[in-house]
Amino acid sequence: MRKVAGLIGLGLGAFLLVSALMLKVYAYPALAKVPLDQYSKSVSQGQNMEAFYVSDLSTKSGLTLTSTRFVKADQAAQTKQGDNVAVWDSFVRSTDQNGVVLSAGLQRVAMDRTTGEAVQCCDTYNAATEDPADRTATAYKGLIFKMPFDAQKKTYQWWDNTLLKPVDAKFVRTEKLFGTDVYVYRMVIPATPYTQQEVPAKLAGDPNATGNITVDRVYENTRTLWVEPNTGIVVKGEEVLNTRFQKDGEDVVTLQKGTIGYDDATVKANAKDAGDKGSKLALVHTTLPLTFLILGLILILVGFLAVRVSAPRGRREAV
């Protein structure tokens, strides 16, 4: 009877070890993929901000700005790329408290479904307006909308859509948002002239000036991301912006200034979604494989000892 129990233990132990391996090698990679049916809406809001109004060529302060972004997967484009590439279209619009549209933009990005890294395909583009005619072919690099699955406490390359290149996103700390554990990453972009633009000369300070002048468009931003590490989903995002025109190194017009970030409803919804998905991924990636490994080794050891003890012993010959 002891031998039978030992053999059963050996069999169960081997089964658990194989199950642990299957979870790590097959089940987790199948689950840890960017979705092909992506559809999301995020709302960011900033209080007491400054913004430039093209309509009357003036900068106003004390504004409440709302930025709404929609992201949707392009099913047709994804189908052409097989199973490893996700193609997402993004539309974002920024308005003031009176509904006046201050800016808008369009994006198409393609990313590796496993790593989250940008992929060069699928006619990816960027547009600083809502007009499709303004789309510019863009070769994205680095991470765009999410961190990798099983994100680490290190620096990643995150795409900046103003500079049109990736910047360092440095891990700074851990936090908890609405019950969900998150990693916090920060990008500090110093004041950087990134393009030049012709504007009415009177914007440089002389209301009687005529004609146009060429100014530098300067971008400064501290961007912080709160990320659920198992999924890489951005639960919360915040930017401290200061964009302006400069002439000969001197600020002449503020274009946008202030702090804007996801509103509480967006953060709460993201925390629940990412927390639920993250718990399932952690279960398959770490908890179950480790549990199966430990139990499997224990059962194999106990089974081996039981079989060995139950084995018949040879008789000692009398002298």
Side-chain angles (χ1 to χ4, degrees):
M1 188 67 180
R2 183 176 294 174
K3 181 178 180 181
V4 172
L7 290 173
I8 292 174
L10 287 171
L12 286 174
F15 173 76
L16 288 174
L17 290 182
V18 172
S19 296
L21 181 62
M22 295 291 284
L23 285 170
K24 294 284 284 188
V25 175
Y26 294 103
Y28 177 74
L31 291 173
K33 283 192 171 184
V34 172
L36 292 173
D37 59 349
Q38 173 71 18
Y39 178 79
S40 63
K41 173 186 176 182
S42 61
V43 178
S44 297
Q45 196 166 78
Q47 306 288 337
N48 198 30
M49 296 191 70
E50 297 177 48
F52 181 73
Y53 286 72
V54 177
S55 58
D56 57 9
L57 299 179
S58 67
T59 297
K60 300 177 184 179
S61 59
L63 302 172
T64 297
L65 302 186
T66 300
S67 179
T68 306
R69 180 184 294 274
F70 294 91
V71 179
K72 183 179 180 181
D74 185 323
Q75 302 288 352
Q78 290 172 161
T79 300
K80 295 178 182 178
Q81 298 301 318
D83 187 54
N84 294 321
V85 176
V87 182
W88 290 1
D89 291 328
S90 170
F91 166 72
V92 61
R93 177 184 287 170
S94 178
T95 60
D96 68 8
Q97 64 270 28
N98 298 314
V100 177
V101 177
L102 298 175
S103 64
L106 302 170
Q107 274 182 283
R108 165 171 287 197
V109 303
M111 69 187 82
D112 185 287
R113 293 185 64 204
T114 300
T115 66
E117 294 278 345
V119 174
Q120 307 304 315
C121 76
C122 314
D123 298 321
T124 54
Y125 63 77
N126 183 54
T129 73
E130 298 179 48
D131 188 349
D134 291 335
R135 295 176 182 177
T136 301
T138 304
Y140 292 94
K141 296 179 181 179
L143 301 165
I144 308 170
F145 285 120
K146 69 180 296 296
M147 286 290 182
F149 293 95
D150 191 25
Q152 302 298 303
K153 298 176 180 179
K154 67 176 190 178
T155 299
Y156 289 99
Q157 291 292 290
W158 184 273
W159 178 263
D160 185 275
N161 208 44
T162 298
L163 298 180
L164 298 179
K165 67 178 184 179
V167 297
D168 287 345
K170 298 180 179 180
F171 171 82
V172 291
R173 64 180 183 274
T174 60
E175 279 189 21
K176 191 181 288 287
L177 290 175
F178 294 102
T180 297
D181 292 321
V182 294
Y183 288 175
V184 183
Y185 299 86
R186 180 162 293 147
M187 290 155 262
V188 179
I189 301 168
T192 305
Y194 66 97
T195 189
Q196 289 189 318
Q197 186 172 335
E198 275 199 2
V199 300
K202 64 181 181 180
L203 288 179
D206 182 359
N208 299 316
T210 60
N212 293 332
I213 58 171
T214 299
V215 295
D216 293 317
R217 194 171 184 127
V218 176
Y219 170 69
E220 185 176 357
N221 191 6
T222 297
R223 179 185 296 114
T224 307
L225 303 177
W226 287 257
V227 176
E228 197 289 315
N230 294 296
T231 61
I233 292 174
V234 177
V235 175
K236 177 182 177 182
E238 180 184 271
E239 295 190 335
V240 183
L241 287 162
N242 185 0
T243 59
R244 65 265 199 191
F245 287 144
Q246 283 188 349
K247 179 64 176 174
D248 299 327
E250 297 292 330
D251 293 348
V252 292
V253 175
T254 296
L255 299 175
Q256 191 173 78
K257 186 175 182 180
T259 300
I260 187 168
Y262 289 2
D263 65 8
D264 285 346
T266 298
V267 175
K268 188 174 183 179
N270 288 347
K272 184 180 187 311
D273 178 54
D276 291 344
K277 292 177 180 177
S279 296
K280 293 174 183 176
L281 279 176
L283 188 68
V284 174
H285 185 237
T286 304
T287 307
L288 285 180
L290 183 59
T291 301
F292 286 177
L293 175 64
I294 294 172
L295 289 178
L297 291 174
I298 291 173
L299 285 171
I300 287 175
L301 177 60
V302 172
F304 174 77
L305 293 176
V307 170
R308 184 173 181 179
V309 169
S310 64
R313 299 179 181 179
R315 291 184 178 180
R316 181 178 294 180
E317 296 293 331
V319 178

